[in-house]
Amino acid sequence: MRSNSRRNHMIDLLFPIILFLLFTISAVVVILLATRIYESTTASSFLNDTSRTSLSYISEKIHQNDSADCILLGTFDGCDALIMTHTDEREGYTTYIYVYENQLKELFIKNGVTATASAGKTILQVQNLRMEEVSDRLLRISTKDANGHIVSTLVGLRSTSER
Amino acid sequence: MARHTTFKYDKKQHYDGKLLASLCCFLIIIILFYMCFSSVSENTTKRQKEHLENAINRNIVHYYATEGHYPDNLTILTERYGLTYDREHFFVDYRMQGSNIYPDVTIIEKED
């Protein structure tokens, strides 16, 4: 006489499979959430870092190239640019610092040579970087940090032209 | 007797078919796994190179903003600015062009 105690039901197969799937999906969701949180944290800290570094970089660039009438604000290939002409051993060359597609770029190029804005060397990722002349010898550079706050710095030009 | 032989033959054929199907499934899974693994591995190397390039550029800019000139060589960045990278996989060619001109950095991926 055969016992009926071991009857095979569909649920015997489906239950472990569903349980395994639930476990897998939960694990994947937890990992995805963790990566999203990590990504947003690093992105905001990166933006905070780059916004301040970009201001320091431009300030230092101005200080290092500050000679009479060599620094001016203008445009380069349609982008607002900080234009630095050189009078030292780099005479005949110009450095352009500008923002192109949310990237702070620098281009060191011989005078008279035509180039597009995309040709510059990418320095940093920036957000809403602006350069303006506050007064005759004072420049204001501002950008936005990760929280959307505007951070800015004032840079004074020390060199004078012999007029 | 003849019927009994046919039944045995059918059962064996059925068993062989199942085995073949299982082997095929197993092979397909192995091939898919290998393809996924190599794709992920290739993508990871590409991302590593990108991250290294960004890290070097960030360190150069940070160095310039602090010191007022570009670093003379890459060793300064590895020693003072905590730059680390896998030297067995990447070769970094750092060419200084002047204390006030952005250096030329090329990252070359070494072949295994």
Side-chain angles (χ1 to χ4, degrees):
Chain A
M1 195 172 167
R2 290 181 67 187
S3 164
N4 283 342
S5 61
R6 275 196 56 80
R7 261 189 204 163
N8 282 330
H9 290 284
M10 199 60 174
I11 196 71
D12 291 341
L13 179 70
L14 280 178
F15 183 73
I17 291 173
I18 290 168
L19 198 66
F20 177 71
L21 278 176
L22 274 174
F23 175 76
T24 313
I25 290 165
S26 313
V28 169
V29 166
V30 168
I31 291 166
L32 284 177
L33 280 173
T35 48
R36 188 78 51 90
I37 290 165
Y38 179 74
E39 202 177 353
S40 66
T41 311
T42 49
S44 61
S45 105
F46 177 72
L47 197 60
N48 274 333
D49 182 51
T50 55
S51 58
R52 279 166 179 82
T53 310
S54 61
L55 296 182
S56 304
Y57 181 79
I58 298 171
S59 305
E60 195 56 47
K61 208 77 191 174
I62 292 169
H63 291 146
Q64 292 296 328
N65 294 284
D66 190 4
S67 33
D69 296 331
C70 284
I71 295 170
L72 59 128
L73 291 175
T75 54
F76 173 70
D77 195 23
C79 306
D80 289 338
L82 179 73
I83 303 165
M84 292 177 281
T85 50
H86 303 292
T87 51
D88 50 7
E89 69 272 11
R90 297 168 290 166
E91 194 166 359
Y93 286 83
T94 305
T95 302
Y96 296 92
I97 293 179
Y98 54 93
V99 179
Y100 177 71
E101 292 180 348
N102 284 337
Q103 290 179 325
L104 182 70
K105 286 187 174 265
E106 181 176 330
L107 183 68
F108 178 69
I109 195 166
K110 198 177 169 94
N111 294 343
V113 175
T114 49
T116 55
S118 59
K121 172 86 190 161
T122 302
I123 306 296
L124 289 168
Q125 293 281 337
V126 287
Q127 209 179 30
N128 291 57
L129 190 126
R130 290 181 66 192
M131 293 176 275
E132 57 192 329
E133 203 164 353
V134 180
S135 67
D136 186 30
R137 313 192 52 74
L138 200 62
L139 300 177
R140 179 188 284 130
I141 307 148
S142 58
T143 185
K144 270 188 183 173
D145 66 6
N147 299 319
H149 298 137
I150 293 173
V151 283
S152 66
T153 186
L154 289 166
V155 188
L157 302 176
R158 294 187 171 204
S159 61
T160 51
S161 56
E162 291 167 12
R163 278 187 270 190
Chain B
M1 188 68 187
R3 272 181 73 188
H4 182 66
T5 315
T6 315
F7 172 71
K8 266 177 90 175
Y9 175 74
D10 284 350
K11 201 174 174 184
K12 190 176 182 299
Q13 202 174 36
H14 181 66
Y15 176 75
D16 284 349
K18 259 184 151 178
L19 185 73
L20 200 69
S22 304
L23 273 173
C24 282
C25 277
F26 181 70
L27 273 176
I28 288 166
I29 289 167
I30 292 287
I31 290 165
L32 280 175
F33 183 76
Y34 178 75
M35 280 165 75
C36 286
F37 183 76
S38 50
S39 157
V40 166
S41 167
E42 196 178 313
N43 208 14
T44 308
T45 314
K46 213 181 280 177
R47 290 287 291 271
Q48 265 183 331
K49 196 177 171 185
E50 246 176 62
H51 282 299
L52 177 59
E53 203 172 341
N54 287 338
I56 292 173
N57 282 333
R58 219 169 37 241
N59 278 316
I60 291 171
V61 172
H62 201 262
Y63 186 95
Y64 185 87
T66 317
E67 310 278 340
H69 63 93
Y70 290 107
D72 298 334
N73 49 53
L74 205 65
T75 318
I76 295 171
L77 298 181
T78 52
E79 283 175 359
R80 290 195 220 161
Y81 284 72
L83 176 74
T84 51
Y85 65 95
D86 190 349
R87 286 162 199 268
E88 284 180 10
H89 279 94
F90 298 105
F91 171 74
V92 182
D93 182 41
Y94 182 91
R95 283 175 195 271
M96 174 101 174
Q97 296 178 347
S99 64
N100 233 339
I101 301 170
Y102 201 94
D104 188 30
V105 181
T106 314
I107 299 166
I108 299 159
E109 200 180 313
K110 287 183 186 172
E111 283 181 20
D112 292 328

